[in-house]
Amino acid sequence: MPDARTTCRIVTSPADVAIHHQIRTHVFVTEQELFVDDDNDAFDELVTTLKVVAFRDLDPAGTVRLFPIDENGERWQGDRLAVLAPFRRFTLGIPLVRFAVATAGVRGGSVMRAHIQPANVAFFKHLGWRSDGAVETYVGVPHQPMCIDLSSDEGR
């Protein structure tokens, strides 16, 4: 269960943004081999993209990224959820997902979408997410589109 030793924050300093990308690279390039060199894409360059790092005590432990996907900022995308292996036993995915959901909600979002690897679907359902369409292939791996209503207390 997450505890007070875990904090999440939107990062803005160059050093913290670098940590965010290092964690993503470690998980998505080194561990999962989903990408060759890095997982950066055009969304990383948008000023509306929020990059989050979770810290366990003072140690950077996980990341998530979120951004609006419509002009009104009502629909949001959450992605690049990654937790370093030594910290997975602390269930850091829970506060990261809840932080992303709450952040999009307070910024005017009404729904958040994500593409979830099949092994993680039950985790997201436990947090109040629901399936949102047929399984899609992304970077050669099946992903289940899922969504959550940001106006409810589910997922927070």
Side-chain angles (χ1 to χ4, degrees):
M1 189 72 184
D3 59 32
R5 295 173 56 190
T6 300
T7 58
C8 298
R9 71 172 187 246
I10 297 168
V11 297
T12 56
S13 75
D16 283 347
V17 170
I19 289 168
H20 171 89
H21 285 283
Q22 288 167 357
I23 293 170
R24 285 174 34 186
T25 298
H26 185 78
V27 172
F28 298 121
V29 176
T30 305
E31 281 185 25
Q32 296 184 8
E33 299 179 340
L34 294 176
F35 302 93
V36 176
D37 294 317
D38 64 51
D39 70 325
N40 296 340
D41 61 20
F43 294 109
D44 286 307
E45 305 305 318
L46 298 176
V47 297
T48 54
T49 296
L50 305 176
K51 297 173 182 179
V52 177
V53 173
F55 294 85
R56 173 74 176 176
D57 296 324
L58 299 177
D59 296 319
T63 67
V64 69
R65 147 181 110 164
L66 61 147
F67 47 90
I69 55 176
D70 66 2
E71 290 181 15
N72 299 327
E74 293 175 4
R75 296 175 6 141
W76 284 69
Q77 177 78 26
D79 67 11
R80 301 302 202 261
L81 176 67
V83 176
L84 295 172
F87 299 97
R88 291 180 188 145
R89 66 188 170 111
F90 301 113
T91 62
L92 291 180
I94 293 171
L96 278 164
V97 171
R98 288 182 173 159
F99 185 88
V101 166
T103 299
V106 299
R107 291 175 182 249
S110 61
V111 68
M112 178 174 267
R113 297 195 73 229
H115 292 83
I116 310 303
Q117 292 182 32
N120 299 318
V121 168
F123 168 78
F124 275 82
K125 285 185 177 181
H126 173 74
L127 293 176
W129 291 64
R130 66 184 183 281
S131 295
D132 188 32
V135 172
E136 301 170 353
T137 300
Y138 177 69
V139 294
V141 176
H143 284 72
Q144 173 63 58
M146 297 187 80
C147 66
I148 189 166
D149 178 3
L150 299 178
S151 63
S152 73
D153 288 335
E154 290 288 337
R156 294 184 195 182

